[in-house]
Amino acid sequence: MLVIRRRAGEGFLIGDSIEVDILEIDGNQVKIGIRAPRETSILRREIAATRASNLDSANEVESKTIEEASKRLRLSSSLPPTSEQD
Amino acid sequence: MLSIETVRFGTVSFQEDEVIEFPAGLPGFEQEHRFLLIEAAESVPLKFLQSVTTPQLSFVCAPLQLVSPRYDMVLPRQDCEALALSADCRAQAATLDWLVILCFARPEEPTANLLGPVVIRRDVGLGVQSIREDARYSARQPLFSGSVTEEQALCS
């Protein structure tokens, strides 16, 4: 992985057509501006992960598989709760 | 009475007020705004989020409480707004229905999306897939990982 250090107000380029600006740094949050061609998809990573998972979840699942999972969930949830942790 | 021909349940009849509206759809399914929440006796406690517009589309869901009993239920402001709740809806979070979508990509080892739980407000028929902005939970948390402790439920 390429690691570069930038300050607020600085930026960098990815290829010829993607420009990234570090707009503001506040504690552990960074505000970033991105200039990219319309067709470039930019997704927060957690949304991309959920999107991929949703697409997989939309595939047909056999009834037998679902019933098995429901049975296991019924069994595991009837177990006494694990002890509280801080 | 309205009805749809579903793959999983055959003909499903429903009233308009049973439809749950997802204003933003779900990531990957942005055009899907209308769902029913269906339960079937043989698969309790699982539920099915069945698309009203696309009869072959349904998601298998589990109550979040059963999958991760100590889950930190936080709703970002934009999701509170999507559910027509006041911006500071932390206090109301526990009164909503929280579900996780299951994935059976490997049928013997189902996973649950704890990163983006589905949150439903039944009284007004609104829902949202609320994606966390922190990285505390995984989008593919194994549903059965032996004795599930909170450490295992959290994403490292």
Side-chain angles (χ1 to χ4, degrees):
Chain A
M1 185 193 282
L2 169 71
V3 178
I4 51 177
R5 210 178 280 272
R6 303 270 64 193
R7 293 192 170 84
E10 298 178 344
F12 56 90
L13 300 172
I14 301 173
D16 294 331
S17 54
I18 300 176
E19 199 173 334
V20 180
D21 286 330
I22 309 304
L23 299 174
E24 195 181 303
I25 301 173
D26 180 14
N28 63 356
Q29 268 201 329
V30 181
K31 196 190 240 180
I32 291 171
I34 303 166
R35 236 173 264 114
R38 273 197 97 67
E39 63 274 15
T40 303
S41 148
I42 299 169
L43 279 182
R44 290 194 284 137
R45 183 163 50 198
E46 58 273 23
I47 294 180
T50 286
R51 184 178 188 279
S53 166
N54 280 351
L55 290 171
D56 278 349
S57 296
N59 290 327
E60 217 175 302
V61 189
E62 278 187 47
S63 302
K64 197 167 65 100
T65 305
I66 294 175
E67 281 166 36
E68 179 65 24
S70 65
K71 212 160 81 185
R72 286 177 72 181
L73 200 59
R74 279 201 298 273
L75 285 172
S76 65
S77 60
S78 65
L79 292 173
T82 50
S83 58
E84 284 294 332
Q85 292 148 6
D86 292 320
Chain B
M1 205 72 170
L2 304 160
S3 72
I4 46 169
E5 284 300 321
T6 69
V7 177
R8 185 170 301 286
F9 303 103
T11 306
V12 172
S13 301
F14 60 96
Q15 309 274 5
E16 180 60 36
D17 63 7
E18 292 175 66
V19 175
I20 301 158
E21 179 87 21
F22 284 70
L26 309 179
F29 298 90
E30 286 79 7
Q31 311 307 318
E32 295 285 345
H33 299 292
R34 288 159 58 79
F35 288 88
L36 295 171
L37 200 56
I38 298 175
E39 287 177 54
E42 63 276 14
S43 50
V44 170
L46 300 181
K47 295 167 197 257
F48 300 84
L49 200 56
Q50 167 69 51
S51 164
V52 174
T53 31
T54 310
Q56 62 272 27
L57 178 65
S58 76
F59 295 98
V60 187
C61 300
L64 173 62
Q65 195 63 40
L66 289 184
V67 177
S68 181
R70 283 185 299 278
Y71 191 88
D72 176 25
M73 292 189 274
V74 180
L75 272 182
R77 200 180 48 175
Q78 68 269 23
D79 293 334
C80 293
E81 283 166 11
L83 294 173
L85 293 169
S86 60
D88 180 26
C89 59
R90 221 189 151 87
Q92 292 152 288
T95 68
L96 305 166
D97 277 358
W98 291 68
L99 300 169
V100 283
I101 297 181
L102 304 185
C103 178
F104 294 85
R106 293 175 59 200
E108 70 285 0
E109 209 175 287
T111 60
N113 184 352
L114 294 184
L115 180 68
V118 169
V119 187
I120 292 171
R121 198 181 150 195
R122 296 271 198 142
D123 56 338
V124 292
L126 283 173
V128 68
Q129 187 165 18
S130 177
I131 299 163
R132 300 180 69 95
E133 288 165 359
D134 53 28
R136 287 181 59 192
Y137 296 91
S138 164
R140 294 176 193 263
Q141 171 66 35
L143 190 54
F144 307 111
S145 47
S147 60
V148 180
T149 66
E150 192 69 1
E151 273 79 8
Q152 285 167 321
L154 297 178
C155 176
S156 58

